[in-house]
């Protein structure tokens, strides 16, 4: 068995990392579209770290960074939400 890394093998890892990123976006959509707090977004803590590993194996900077952003997306959304409330007034 040849263990030599070929561009095709690298491409498979990038595609798997991209799929994890897209799944991370997909689990947020019910919250955004229906404006109701579904708990599907919790899957980003499982799916996107796996995508980071796929990005590392495939040596894809896009795969690593995009999945890392999706992993911390809850914190990012909370920050943006509270920032908007602080700027325009009101209660969170």
């Amino acid at each position: 068995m040849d263990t030599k890394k070929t561009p095709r093998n690298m491409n498979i890892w990038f595609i798997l990392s991209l799929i994890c990123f897209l799944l991370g976006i997909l689990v947020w959509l019910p919250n955004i579209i229906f404006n109701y707090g579904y708990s599907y977004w919790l899957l980003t803590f499982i799916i996107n770290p796996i995508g980071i590993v796929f990005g590392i194996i495939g040596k894809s900077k896009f795969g690593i960074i995009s999945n890392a952003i999706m992993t911390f997306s809850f914190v990012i959304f909370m920050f943006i939400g509270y920032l908007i409330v602080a700027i325009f007034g009101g209660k969170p």
Side-chain angles (χ1 to χ4, degrees), residues 4-65:
K4 190 176 186 182
K5 292 198 180 219
T6 62
R8 183 174 184 268
N9 288 342
M10 301 296 246
N11 195 18
I12 291 171
W13 294 114
F14 171 73
I15 291 171
L16 288 173
S17 177
L18 185 64
I19 289 171
C20 288
F21 171 67
L22 294 175
L23 284 174
I25 291 174
L26 191 66
V27 297
W28 268 110
L29 285 181
N31 289 344
I32 295 170
I33 292 174
F34 300 124
N35 200 19
Y36 183 76
Y38 294 102
S39 60
Y40 299 130
W41 64 269
L42 289 170
L43 291 172
T44 60
F45 294 123
I46 298 170
I47 295 170
N48 293 112
I50 294 171
I52 292 172
V53 172
F54 289 154
I56 291 170
I57 293 171
K59 297 178 182 170
S60 167
K61 290 182 183 179
F62 175 76
I64 296 168
I65 293 170

